[in-house]
PDB file of all heavy atoms in Angstrom:
ATOM      1  N   GLU A 255      13.772 -49.319  -2.640  1.00 97.00           N
ATOM      2  CA  GLU A 255      13.437 -50.250  -1.550  1.00 97.00           C
ATOM      3  C   GLU A 255      13.417 -51.695  -2.031  1.00 97.00           C
ATOM      4  O   GLU A 255      13.844 -52.599  -1.310  1.00 97.00           O
ATOM      5  CB  GLU A 255      12.086 -49.880  -0.939  1.00 97.00           C
ATOM      6  CG  GLU A 255      12.114 -48.611  -0.107  1.00 97.00           C
ATOM      7  CD  GLU A 255      10.726 -48.211   0.364  1.00 97.00           C
ATOM      8  OE1 GLU A 255       9.781 -49.025   0.267  1.00 97.00           O
ATOM      9  OE2 GLU A 255      10.588 -47.061   0.837  1.00 97.00           O
ATOM     10  N   ARG A 256      12.914 -51.923  -3.240  1.00 97.00           N
ATOM     11  CA  ARG A 256      12.861 -53.281  -3.800  1.00 97.00           C
ATOM     12  C   ARG A 256      14.233 -53.767  -4.245  1.00 97.00           C
ATOM     13  O   ARG A 256      14.426 -54.949  -4.491  1.00 97.00           O
ATOM     14  CB  ARG A 256      11.921 -53.313  -5.013  1.00 97.00           C
ATOM     15  CG  ARG A 256      10.460 -53.241  -4.710  1.00 97.00           C
ATOM     16  CD  ARG A 256       9.622 -53.554  -5.947  1.00 97.00           C
ATOM     17  NE  ARG A 256      10.040 -52.823  -7.137  1.00 97.00           N
ATOM     18  CZ  ARG A 256       9.537 -51.661  -7.542  1.00 97.00           C
ATOM     19  NH1 ARG A 256       8.614 -51.072  -6.835  1.00 97.00           N
ATOM     20  NH2 ARG A 256       9.979 -51.089  -8.641  1.00 97.00           N
ATOM     21  N   GLY A 257      15.147 -52.834  -4.407  1.00 97.00           N
ATOM     22  CA  GLY A 257      16.465 -53.195  -4.906  1.00 97.00           C
ATOM     23  C   GLY A 257      16.521 -53.251  -6.428  1.00 97.00           C
ATOM     24  O   GLY A 257      17.482 -53.767  -6.994  1.00 97.00           O
ATOM     25  N   SER A 258      15.491 -52.701  -7.081  1.00 97.00           N
ATOM     26  CA  SER A 258      15.452 -52.694  -8.549  1.00 97.00           C
ATOM     27  C   SER A 258      16.488 -51.752  -9.147  1.00 97.00           C
ATOM     28  O   SER A 258      16.928 -51.946 -10.280  1.00 97.00           O
ATOM     29  CB  SER A 258      14.068 -52.279  -9.049  1.00 97.00           C
ATOM     30  OG  SER A 258      13.086 -53.142  -8.556  1.00 97.00           O
ATOM     31  N   ILE A 259      16.826 -50.713  -8.395  1.00 96.00           N
ATOM     32  CA  ILE A 259      17.851 -49.777  -8.843  1.00 96.00           C
ATOM     33  C   ILE A 259      18.806 -49.522  -7.685  1.00 96.00           C
ATOM     34  O   ILE A 259      18.442 -49.660  -6.513  1.00 96.00           O
ATOM     35  CB  ILE A 259      17.250 -48.442  -9.357  1.00 96.00           C
ATOM     36  CG1 ILE A 259      16.446 -47.733  -8.258  1.00 96.00           C
ATOM     37  CG2 ILE A 259      16.411 -48.651 -10.598  1.00 96.00           C
ATOM     38  CD1 ILE A 259      15.956 -46.359  -8.655  1.00 96.00           C
ATOM     39  N   SER A 260      20.021 -49.142  -8.020  1.00 96.00           N
ATOM     40  CA  SER A 260      21.030 -48.887  -6.996  1.00 96.00           C
ATOM     41  C   SER A 260      20.783 -47.528  -6.346  1.00 96.00           C
ATOM     42  O   SER A 260      20.032 -46.691  -6.865  1.00 96.00           O
ATOM     43  CB  SER A 260      22.429 -48.911  -7.624  1.00 96.00           C
ATOM     44  OG  SER A 260      22.599 -47.775  -8.449  1.00 96.00           O
ATOM     45  N   ASP A 261      21.449 -47.312  -5.231  1.00 96.00           N
ATOM     46  CA  ASP A 261      21.343 -46.020  -4.560  1.00 96.00           C
ATOM     47  C   ASP A 261      21.860 -44.897  -5.451  1.00 96.00           C
ATOM     48  O   ASP A 261      21.278 -43.808  -5.480  1.00 96.00           O
ATOM     49  CB  ASP A 261      22.115 -46.035  -3.240  1.00 96.00           C
ATOM     50  CG  ASP A 261      21.398 -46.819  -2.152  1.00 96.00           C
ATOM     51  OD1 ASP A 261      20.178 -47.044  -2.278  1.00 96.00           O
ATOM     52  OD2 ASP A 261      22.068 -47.204  -1.171  1.00 96.00           O
ATOM     53  N   ASP A 262      22.933 -45.157  -6.196  1.00 97.00           N
ATOM     54  CA  ASP A 262      23.476 -44.134  -7.098  1.00 97.00           C
ATOM     55  C   ASP A 262      22.482 -43.776  -8.198  1.00 97.00           C
ATOM     56  O   ASP A 262      22.298 -42.601  -8.518  1.00 97.00           O
ATOM     57  CB  ASP A 262      24.790 -44.607  -7.721  1.00 97.00           C
ATOM     58  CG  ASP A 262      25.928 -44.665  -6.713  1.00 97.00           C
ATOM     59  OD1 ASP A 262      25.824 -44.010  -5.655  1.00 97.00           O
ATOM     60  OD2 ASP A 262      26.917 -45.374  -6.984  1.00 97.00           O
ATOM     61  N   GLU A 263      21.844 -44.798  -8.774  1.00 97.00           N
ATOM     62  CA  GLU A 263      20.840 -44.548  -9.817  1.00 97.00           C
ATOM     63  C   GLU A 263      19.664 -43.769  -9.241  1.00 97.00           C
ATOM     64  O   GLU A 263      19.162 -42.822  -9.861  1.00 97.00           O
ATOM     65  CB  GLU A 263      20.346 -45.859 -10.415  1.00 97.00           C
ATOM     66  CG  GLU A 263      21.374 -46.589 -11.246  1.00 97.00           C
ATOM     67  CD  GLU A 263      20.903 -47.984 -11.638  1.00 97.00           C
ATOM     68  OE1 GLU A 263      20.414 -48.731 -10.766  1.00 97.00           O
ATOM     69  OE2 GLU A 263      21.021 -48.308 -12.842  1.00 97.00           O
ATOM     70  N   ALA A 264      19.211 -44.169  -8.058  1.00 97.00           N
ATOM     71  CA  ALA A 264      18.092 -43.488  -7.421  1.00 97.00           C
ATOM     72  C   ALA A 264      18.444 -42.037  -7.112  1.00 97.00           C
ATOM     73  O   ALA A 264      17.634 -41.132  -7.347  1.00 97.00           O
ATOM     74  CB  ALA A 264      17.677 -44.221  -6.147  1.00 97.00           C
ATOM     75  N   ASP A 265      19.652 -41.811  -6.607  1.00 97.00           N
ATOM     76  CA  ASP A 265      20.085 -40.442  -6.313  1.00 97.00           C
ATOM     77  C   ASP A 265      20.078 -39.580  -7.567  1.00 97.00           C
ATOM     78  O   ASP A 265      19.625 -38.431  -7.544  1.00 97.00           O
ATOM     79  CB  ASP A 265      21.481 -40.439  -5.680  1.00 97.00           C
ATOM     80  CG  ASP A 265      21.494 -40.969  -4.258  1.00 97.00           C
ATOM     81  OD1 ASP A 265      20.414 -41.048  -3.626  1.00 97.00           O
ATOM     82  OD2 ASP A 265      22.591 -41.324  -3.780  1.00 97.00           O
ATOM     83  N   ALA A 266      20.583 -40.123  -8.661  1.00 98.00           N
ATOM     84  CA  ALA A 266      20.634 -39.369  -9.922  1.00 98.00           C
ATOM     85  C   ALA A 266      19.222 -39.049 -10.413  1.00 98.00           C
ATOM     86  O   ALA A 266      18.943 -37.921 -10.839  1.00 98.00           O
ATOM     87  CB  ALA A 266      21.402 -40.159 -10.975  1.00 98.00           C
ATOM     88  N   LEU A 267      18.328 -40.033 -10.357  1.00 98.00           N
ATOM     89  CA  LEU A 267      16.940 -39.806 -10.782  1.00 98.00           C
ATOM     90  C   LEU A 267      16.260 -38.775  -9.889  1.00 98.00           C
ATOM     91  O   LEU A 267      15.539 -37.893 -10.373  1.00 98.00           O
ATOM     92  CB  LEU A 267      16.158 -41.122 -10.768  1.00 98.00           C
ATOM     93  CG  LEU A 267      16.521 -42.127 -11.850  1.00 98.00           C
ATOM     94  CD1 LEU A 267      15.884 -43.475 -11.553  1.00 98.00           C
ATOM     95  CD2 LEU A 267      16.077 -41.615 -13.209  1.00 98.00           C
ATOM     96  N   GLU A 268      16.482 -38.874  -8.593  1.00 97.00           N
ATOM     97  CA  GLU A 268      15.869 -37.922  -7.664  1.00 97.00           C
ATOM     98  C   GLU A 268      16.376 -36.505  -7.916  1.00 97.00           C
ATOM     99  O   GLU A 268      15.593 -35.551  -7.888  1.00 97.00           O
ATOM    100  CB  GLU A 268      16.139 -38.345  -6.225  1.00 97.00           C
ATOM    101  CG  GLU A 268      15.345 -39.565  -5.811  1.00 97.00           C
ATOM    102  CD  GLU A 268      15.768 -40.150  -4.476  1.00 97.00           C
ATOM    103  OE1 GLU A 268      16.856 -39.773  -3.968  1.00 97.00           O
ATOM    104  OE2 GLU A 268      15.022 -40.994  -3.947  1.00 97.00           O
TER     105      GLU A 268
END
Side-chain angles (χ1 to χ4, degrees):
E255 288 174 13
R256 286 191 312 267
S258 302
I259 60 174
S260 70
D261 285 341
D262 290 340
E263 291 171 312
D265 289 343
L267 289 169
E268 288 170 346

